[in-house]
Amino acid sequence: MENRYINNQNWQNFLLSQIGKYDVFSLFSQDDADYNYSRLTTQNLNTSLIGKYRSTIPLKSFFFSSIEKIVPLSSKKQRIIIGVKACELAHLQLLDNMFLGGEYRDPVYEEARKNTLIISADCTSCKNSCFCSIIEGLPYPTSGFDINLRPIQNGFVVEILSEKGRKLIDNNKWLFQDTIQNHLDESERNRTEVNELVLKVNKDFKFAKLLNEVVKPPKADLWKEVAKECVECGGCRFACSTCYCFLIGETKNFEKYRFWDACQFKGYARVAGGSNPRSTKEKRYRNFYSCKMNYRKENFGSYACTGCGRCIEVCPAEIDIRKVLTRLSE
């Protein structure tokens, strides 16, 4: 993987040079603790951020919107998304498997992926809900990006992974310098510190090595107890970047739209005649864990949970997936 170095001032110049050429989306502070994506403009350039950790809104919103027109297909402008974190890149790989990995390639999703260049960034801290390091993840990207930023003092180590990323760097090469060993050493120390922080935050949670196995036994009493506080709002599914259930509707002029659905809703699994294989709240709730830890593992080879913790933050009943997985692992 190629490396470069860019200082903070040149990074601002780089961003400024991309506005107009691309639709550029960057992270901005939402409040004292959260970030969200907004379109980058010359007016807000100075307040754009790389972000210490992932955004509140899931990355899937860029590629699989909550509601979007799918027929007729419309072309999209080339865009750059900046500040994507490792957990979200793992989400995107799972969505790629779903929408592009089978016999049928989803043209709407494919168009969105093709027209997007991703500049990811290492986490420099974590939220109390983050747990990537205890579920096969790391708080820094190792794959799935075009360009990755490793923050160091006064700038970034720039990792270039894809041909799209290399062309973008080459077109602005006067802004970048060769990386020296001190830059890489500082970046490695930062990565180690953040990983240790994630482990420290999650020291009370102990997961089984094979989570796909621990969710298989029925354990009806456990699921009934865990699900009793669930209000079935669907928030955990909508906030999760690896949930992709949807419905399709059609307008009078034959335009087709799809919009997010959630398997926690009672009518989701209902079939003709009114039969429903997941007729109770605990059955629907258990399906969330079976899908994340077992079904996706069998089909795609990895868990569909990357430890972003959004489902924990959004739950009005304060259900914590880490506590549930710990209980299942006992």
Side-chain angles (χ1 to χ4, degrees), residues 169-206:
I169 298 297
D170 285 349
N171 289 338
N172 299 274
K173 58 185 178 183
W174 56 89
L175 297 171
F176 296 84
Q177 304 168 29
D178 291 337
T179 306
I180 61 174
Q181 190 60 44
N182 284 349
H183 295 151
L184 297 173
D185 292 344
E186 181 184 346
S187 175
E188 286 299 326
R189 287 194 298 273
N190 292 341
R191 286 183 161 187
T192 300
E193 288 176 5
V194 177
N195 192 43
E196 289 175 350
L197 178 62
V198 178
L199 294 174
K200 182 179 178 182
V201 166
N202 292 282
K203 61 182 173 55
D204 295 330
F205 304 108
K206 306 295 182 186

Side-chain angles (χ1 to χ4, degrees), residues 138-175:
L138 290 167
Y140 51 85
T142 57
S143 63
F145 55 85
D146 296 297
I147 296 167
N148 182 57
L149 303 177
R150 300 168 60 166
I152 57 176
Q153 190 172 18
N154 300 323
F156 305 96
V157 172
V158 181
E159 295 178 313
I160 308 160
L161 185 63
S162 73
E163 184 61 21
K164 280 197 298 186
R166 190 186 62 76
K167 285 182 179 177
L168 185 64
I169 298 297
D170 285 349
N171 289 338
N172 299 274
K173 58 185 178 183
W174 56 89
L175 297 171

Side-chain angles (χ1 to χ4, degrees), residues 30 43 63 86 116 127 151 153 170 204 222 234 247 252 301 317 324:
Q30 185 179 17
Q43 287 74 39
F63 304 96
T116 303
K127 308 190 79 174
Q153 190 172 18
D170 285 349
D204 295 330
L222 184 148
L247 289 171
K252 290 180 179 178
V324 178

